[in-house]
Amino acid sequence: MTFPVHRLRRLRRSEALRGFVRETHLSTNGLVYPMFACPGNKVRTEISSMPGIHQQSPDQIVEDCRQVADLGIPAVILFGLPKQKDETGSEAASTEGAVQRSIEAIRKAKLNLLVITDVCLCEYTSHGHCGIVKDGEVLNDSSISLLADAALSHARAGADIVAPSDMMDGRVAAIRHKLDENKFQDVAILSYAAKYCSAFYGPFREAAQSAPQFGDRRSYQMDPGNAREALREVALDLEEGADMIMVKPALSYLDVIQRVRERFDAPVAAYNVSAEYSMVKAAALKGWIDEERIVLEIMTSIQRAGASIILTYHAKDVARWLKAC
Ligand code: PBG
């Protein structure tokens, strides 16, 4: 007979007790703030489906990064928009690209901030796919050398970490090889290892103007029904040289985060993606939910599932709320 000896409510009686026995402690330590870099100067355009998030030219990105660093957020991840899209996404590796120029500006400002870059072609290609297209097919092997070129250009500009999000096979090895060959052996790779083909990327595609112009991403991103396959993806990326691995999206895939955490010892990141943000923002704007409590609960659940690194558009708010409490 366990009751009345065992009373779990005993340890819930006060905030002091609850804090004393809490298993998951939120902090700003693993937060990554995603940002959209666009060409030009003094450009700051809000993304209508993502209130509070902007496309910004490099000069504005630096000012925003100053705020991010002041809030104690350790890292940003940069996405880029090109001046001109083409078949092969050639601006992805341009030294004059918005991402490359933003990194240089952040470095010049000597901010205490890790700079991560998203490595992909979809923002740069006219067809909006994450690799080169031939006869309606997204080609694998010729795409990975272009991705490696993009990663190298980010490293040259001063990125600390490159994060390939394309889901081509073999891209981590190709990037590692290219970086090492060019003496960037200390630039780390955070691979989007288990990236699902998800409707939760909808608002991002407005932000990055990267919606595929034909078809969808089902032939390269993962099927939402598969969890064991995620473990194979992670195992391969680690074998190829990934330093950290990511599960994306976060909320509908907490089981995948947990399984990856249990199986592997590398740092695990989770991407709290655009629609996860937009849904919360929309409901908050309507006054239907308590935004702060909802967001902190979401962050706690992602961390409890096993992610120590969280990429989230809520990062600045989270840092402010944690400071206040
Ligand atoms: C690029 C990329 C996407 C996201 C991150 N990198 C979009 C996609 O794959 O279609 C989504 C991020 C988000 O929704 O916040 N491949």
Side-chain angles (χ1 to χ4, degrees):
M1 214 179 56
T2 56
F3 180 78
V5 172
H6 293 289
R7 292 174 182 271
L8 296 189
R9 288 185 59 190
R10 255 181 224 130
L11 300 182
R12 297 179 197 144
R13 289 182 65 233
S14 66
E15 188 43 41
L17 273 168
R18 289 188 293 271
F20 193 57
V21 299
R22 189 163 293 136
E23 300 170 31
T24 308
H25 291 275
L26 269 188
S27 82
T28 51
N29 287 339
L31 290 180
V32 181
Y33 186 60
M35 305 179 92
F36 299 97
C38 66
N41 203 27
K42 296 207 163 38
V43 185
R44 190 172 151 83
T45 318
E46 190 166 32
I47 297 146
S48 62
S49 54
M50 300 178 73
I53 306 296
H54 302 77
Q55 295 170 348
Q56 305 184 85
S57 49
D59 57 301
Q60 303 292 304
I61 292 267
V62 184
E63 290 320 305
D64 209 358
C65 280
R66 221 180 280 284
Q67 255 192 41
V68 173
D70 286 348
L71 283 165
I73 295 167
V76 294
I77 180 164
L78 300 178
F79 295 91
L81 288 113
K83 276 201 188 93
Q84 191 86 47
K85 295 177 192 265
D86 61 25
E87 280 287 306
T88 57
S90 51
E91 249 190 85
S94 155
T95 50
E96 292 302 306
V99 164
Q100 289 83 352
R101 286 186 45 222
S102 295
I103 306 168
E104 283 165 7
I106 296 165
R107 287 293 165 242
K108 213 165 141 208
K110 299 210 180 315
L111 301 180
N112 185 20
L113 206 54
L114 290 169
V115 179
I116 309 175
T117 57
D118 182 86
V119 176
C120 198
L121 299 179
C122 63
E123 300 102 303
Y124 301 93
T125 50
S126 42
H127 44 73
H129 279 288
C130 305
I132 314 179
V133 171
K134 198 172 170 212
D135 302 328
E137 287 259 347
V138 178
L139 301 182
N140 195 88
D141 299 11
S142 38
S143 298
I144 60 180
S145 63
L146 296 185
L147 291 158
D149 290 341
L152 176 60
S153 76
H154 298 165
R156 282 202 171 116
D160 298 291
I161 301 168
V162 293
S165 68
D166 52 284
M167 288 300 277
M168 300 298 125
D169 290 319
R171 91 277 209 204
V172 172
I175 292 172
R176 188 69 272 160
H177 184 74
K178 181 73 111 214
L179 291 176
D180 291 358
E181 213 174 49
N182 288 277
K183 305 221 164 21
F184 289 106
Q185 65 278 355
D186 293 330
V187 170
I189 299 178
L190 163 61
S191 85
Y192 288 68
K195 178 174 176 179
Y196 287 87
C197 187
S198 171
F200 285 96
Y201 309 148
F204 173 94
R205 293 189 185 160
E206 177 200 341
Q209 294 161 6
S210 64
Q213 299 303 301
F214 71 90
D216 52 41
R217 303 211 203 287
R218 282 175 225 262
S219 78
Y220 42 107
Q221 298 182 343
M222 282 182 60
D223 189 291
N226 296 356
R228 290 191 298 267
E229 189 190 354
L231 302 177
R232 297 186 68 200
E233 282 283 4
V234 170
L236 284 172
D237 281 7
L238 289 173
E239 231 173 82
E240 287 180 32
D243 300 282
M244 299 168 272
I245 38 87
M246 193 197 300
V247 174
K248 178 188 171 187
L251 290 182
S252 299
Y253 299 87
L254 293 177
D255 57 324
V256 178
I257 296 174
Q258 186 181 12
R259 286 164 85 154
V260 168
R261 169 72 294 159
E262 281 169 0
R263 175 82 66 93
F264 301 97
D265 291 325
V268 176
Y271 201 141
N272 176 219
V273 297
S274 55
E276 295 175 338
Y277 174 83
S278 301
M279 292 192 303
V280 169
K281 279 288 173 188
L285 283 169
K286 279 193 173 278
W288 289 349
I289 56 170
D290 178 336
E291 184 178 359
E292 176 175 342
R293 286 193 55 203
I294 290 261
V295 170
L296 294 179
E297 189 173 329
I298 286 173
M299 294 301 127
T300 303
S301 68
I302 297 172
Q303 203 179 308
R304 193 192 60 233
S308 53
I309 300 165
I310 305 177
L311 294 82
T312 180
Y313 303 97
H314 296 292
K316 283 192 203 166
D317 287 333
V318 171
R320 282 189 202 107
W321 292 325
L322 290 180
K323 243 181 201 170
C325 58

